[in-house]
């Protein structure tokens, strides 16, 4: 099966390239192959290569910067995915797209289902929601996978930031009133591989799904587990969101209800603590 992946150096894209199953011919596209600021080049990449499935693992993810660059974020997170989805629909192949918990406002006290009302509270969330709407409007076979708090041994993420800061400071103040499910990029990649297999082989699968790690924790307790596993002697001081202002508002509740993904694809939520241990091993081996 020929699978085309938009994204080459991002967390999920790098994990996808490491998990290409036997029988797959996976091609990952970087900026030099398809400019996400140019929707037409993204569509052209699909039309030229004629794959059996497309996975969009690329996005504008600078949440705070998006507050002043919303037009750029929308071009990358909405207009280009729209062009990709339309191109995939035109040749009748499935299109898989990664989205975010930030499409919700986080005001609910329960885990959000895929059919819960969306109401993003920041520019990044608005652009990701616009991308979802464009993918659905393309009219092809699609799967949108919303996820949260992604981490890996690659790129910039909370785990790597905490490892650096924890070694530099004795005490760190971390937000404790935002709750979510940290998600290893490796597990997202494995989920996308299974979903792509199902979507190319069957007709009834598709729609919007949620995938995040378990159990849910606060950022503060996530940091504590990172320090514990990494054997870093850094104390976590819990603070509220109001004590750590950022340009972009964050949802207080980022918990995602992942039952529909398990029901349709047999994909269960991963234990992020196991994924964390694997990431730490990779980082230690590469140090």
């Amino acid at each position: 099966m020929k699978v085309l992946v938009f994204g080459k150096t991002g967390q999920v894209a790098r994990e996808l390239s490491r998990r290409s199953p036997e029988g797959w011919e996976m091609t990952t596209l970087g900026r030099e192959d398809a400019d996400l600021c140019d929707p037409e080049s993204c569509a052209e990449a699909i039309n030229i290569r004629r794959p059996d499935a497309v996975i969009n693992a690329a996005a504008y993810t600078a949440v705070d910067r998006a507050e002043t660059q919303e037009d750029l974020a929308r071009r990358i997170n909405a207009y280009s995915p729209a062009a990709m989805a339309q191109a995939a629909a035109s040749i009748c192949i499935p299109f898989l797209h990664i989205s975010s918990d930030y499409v919700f406002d986080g005001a609910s006290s329960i885990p959000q289902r895929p059919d819960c009302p969306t109401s993003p509270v920041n520019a990044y969330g608005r652009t990701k929601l616009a991308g979802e709407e464009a993918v659905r409007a393309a009219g092809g076979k699609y799967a949108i996978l919303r996820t949260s708090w992604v981490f890996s041994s690659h790129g910039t993420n909370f785990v790597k930031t905490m490892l650096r800061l924890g070694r530099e400071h004795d005490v760190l103040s971390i937000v404790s009133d935002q709750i979510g499910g940290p998600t290893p990029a490796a597990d997202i990649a494995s989920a996308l591989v299974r979903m792509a297999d199902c979507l190319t082989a069957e007709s009834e699968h598709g729609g919007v799904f949620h995938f995040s790690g378990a159990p849910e924790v606060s950022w503060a307790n996530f940091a504590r587990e990172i320090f514990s596993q990494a054997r870093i002697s850094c104390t976590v001081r819990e603070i509220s969101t109001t004590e750590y202002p950022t340009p972009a508002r964050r949802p207080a509740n980022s918990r995602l209800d992942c039952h529909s993904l398990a029901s349709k694809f047999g994909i269960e939520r991963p234990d992020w603590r196991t994924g964390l241990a694997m990431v730490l091993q990779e980082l230690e081996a590469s140090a």
Side-chain angles (χ1 to χ4, degrees), residues 101 104-113 116-119 121 177-179 249-257:
D101 59 298
F104 298 111
D105 61 14
S108 173
S109 61
I110 61 173
Q112 298 297 283
R113 301 185 314 275
C116 284
T118 51
S119 182
V121 296
D177 57 358
Q178 295 174 23
I179 309 298
R249 287 177 57 195
R250 263 66 170 178
N253 174 29
S254 285
R255 294 181 294 165
L256 298 175
D257 185 322

Side-chain angles (χ1 to χ4, degrees), residues 222-233:
F222 188 12
R224 288 191 176 99
E225 182 65 19
I226 294 167
F227 296 148
S228 174
Q229 289 200 25
R231 297 182 176 85
I232 295 175
S233 298

Side-chain angles (χ1 to χ4, degrees), residues 8 37 63 65 121 128 137-138 200-201 210:
K8 196 168 190 177
C37 292
V63 176
R65 201 180 309 148
V121 296
K128 292 300 288 183
T200 53
H210 288 173

